[in-house]
């Protein structure tokens, strides 16, 4: 079955430190991978995507993610965390076509302490 | 460019009542999605439209949920009758045939 896993319910990091939010996936074929962020009482905001090409993808607000096909991972990273980065982060995968169903992980709450 | 619009933003109803949500996608976006996001979970696709046709409604509880997109633009999602477990945020998204979807702010439904 196609799935996305975010193994950490919460990640805590001090402001200024690097952050990583983990995501692994299990799909047949070539996946399209996404990261979205959700602030309280807000919809999902797009951060970045991997479709094809360079495995290192740069996105909004200084975030980046690395597609690792052998490890079926797409971890989200940022070199220096900000308190304002505190939010709920979702990894998602689409497979089998550009408009096929998007499958979301369960989300990781990022808490950045000042 | 205007984003995806949804209304209402919040709705509180009693169980067994009916409720409807409205979504206006980004202009020109042929594909429209409705998701249900239960607290503590990731969004789950309920139904996907391509213009005014249904592409995927495999996870839509059809005994109580219905959705339509009659003119291929706006869409409504209805629940009748509502159950306690329907309490969730209902997200609408649209896309222009690309892999990326654009999400609206969502409607938070509370069923008492």
């Amino acid at each position: 079955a196609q799935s996305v896993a975010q193994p950490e319910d919460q990640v805590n990091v001090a402001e200024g430190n690097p952050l990583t939010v983990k995501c692994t996936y299990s799909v047949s074929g070539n996946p399209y991978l996404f990261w979205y962020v959700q602030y309280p009482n807000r919809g999902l905001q797009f951060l970045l995507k991997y479709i094809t090409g360079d495995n290192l993808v740069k996105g909004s607000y200084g975030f980046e993610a690395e597609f690792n096909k052998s490890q079926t991972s797409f971890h989200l990273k940022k070199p220096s965390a900000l308190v304002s980065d505190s939010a709920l982060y979702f990894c998602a995968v689409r497979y089998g076509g550009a408009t096929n169903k998007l499958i979301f992980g369960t989300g990781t709450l990022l808490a950045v302490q000042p | 460019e205007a984003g995806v619009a949804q209304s209402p933003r919040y709705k509180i109803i009693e169980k067994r009542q009916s409720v409807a949500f409205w979504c206006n996608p980004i202009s020109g976006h042929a594909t429209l999605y409705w998701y249900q996001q239960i607290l503590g979970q990731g969004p789950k696709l309920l139904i996907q439209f391509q213009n005014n046709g249904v592409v995927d409604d495999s996870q839509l509880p059809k005994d109580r949920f219905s959705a339509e997109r009659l003119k291929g633009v706006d869409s409504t999602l209805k629940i009748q009758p509502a159950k306690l477990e329907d309490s969730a945020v209902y997200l609408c998204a649209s896309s222009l045939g690309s892999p990326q979807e654009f999400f609206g702010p969502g409607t938070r439904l509370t069923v008492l």
Side-chain angles (χ1 to χ4, degrees), chain B residues 13-25:
Chain B
I13 61 172
E14 303 268 338
K15 61 182 178 183
R16 291 187 290 273
Q17 286 186 323
S18 62
V19 65
F21 313 127
W22 174 81
C23 172
N24 182 238

Side-chain angles (χ1 to χ4, degrees), chain B residues 13 18-19 30 36 42 47 58 61-62 67 69 76 80 83 95 102 109:
Chain B
I13 61 172
S18 62
V19 65
Q36 179 192 58
I47 189 167
S58 57
K62 299 180 185 64
R69 194 185 184 199
T76 56
Q80 182 179 7
K83 293 185 175 181
S95 73
F102 297 85
L109 173 67

Side-chain angles (χ1 to χ4, degrees), chain B residues 7-107:
Chain B
S7 68
R9 291 295 312 276
Y10 304 92
K11 189 73 177 179
I12 300 174
I13 61 172
E14 303 268 338
K15 61 182 178 183
R16 291 187 290 273
Q17 286 186 323
S18 62
V19 65
F21 313 127
W22 174 81
C23 172
N24 182 238
I26 293 173
S27 178
H29 281 196
T31 309
L32 186 147
Y33 311 81
W34 281 103
Y35 289 85
Q36 179 192 58
Q37 185 180 14
I38 293 173
L39 186 64
Q41 300 181 19
K44 180 186 79 173
L45 180 71
L46 291 175
I47 189 167
Q48 176 184 343
F49 291 95
Q50 181 71 21
N51 296 308
N52 60 350
V54 175
V55 174
D56 184 348
D57 63 356
S58 57
Q59 298 190 93
L60 186 74
K62 299 180 185 64
D63 57 334
R64 297 184 300 106
F65 286 64
S66 65
E68 60 183 13
R69 194 185 184 199
L70 292 175
K71 296 183 179 180
V73 180
D74 294 8
S75 177
T76 56
L77 176 69
K78 297 179 181 178
I79 308 175
Q80 182 179 7
K83 293 185 175 181
L84 296 177
E85 58 261 35
D86 298 332
S87 294
V89 175
Y90 291 84
L91 296 164
C92 179
S94 69
S95 73
L96 190 56
S98 75
Q100 182 182 337
E101 295 175 29
F102 297 85
F103 284 82
T107 296

Side-chain angles (χ1 to χ4, degrees), chain A residues 28-50:
Chain A
S28 55
N30 294 321
Y32 301 133
L33 294 157
F34 302 83
W35 276 101
Y36 286 88
V37 59
Q38 188 173 40
Y39 295 95
N41 300 315
R42 302 281 295 276
L44 292 167
Q45 295 179 36
F46 169 79
L47 278 180
L48 51 79
K49 65 186 176 189
Y50 172 82

Side-chain angles (χ1 to χ4, degrees), chain A:
Chain A
Q2 325 293 339
S3 64
V4 176
Q6 293 182 244
E8 302 154 316
D9 290 337
Q10 183 163 337
V11 169
N12 298 304
V13 64
E15 187 174 30
N17 283 0
L19 69 87
T20 298
V21 182
K22 296 179 181 177
C23 172
T24 59
Y25 64 91
S26 174
V27 300
S28 55
N30 294 321
Y32 301 133
L33 294 157
F34 302 83
W35 276 101
Y36 286 88
V37 59
Q38 188 173 40
Y39 295 95
N41 300 315
R42 302 281 295 276
L44 292 167
Q45 295 179 36
F46 169 79
L47 278 180
L48 51 79
K49 65 186 176 189
Y50 172 82
I51 305 298
T52 188
D54 194 349
N55 289 343
L56 183 63
V57 178
K58 293 188 183 297
S60 307
Y61 313 120
F63 284 93
E64 59 186 30
E66 185 167 11
F67 171 61
N68 188 317
K69 188 172 184 178
S70 62
Q71 297 184 6
T72 61
S73 68
F74 190 56
H75 301 331
L76 181 70
K77 300 182 180 184
K78 188 174 182 181
S80 179
L82 300 172
V83 172
S84 58
D85 292 330
S86 299
L88 189 56
Y89 289 80
F90 288 97
C91 181
V93 64
R94 168 169 277 131
Y95 64 96
T99 56
N100 277 10
K101 183 163 55 182
L102 195 60
I103 299 173
F104 284 86
T106 52
T108 298
L109 183 64
L110 174 66
V112 182
Q113 284 87 37

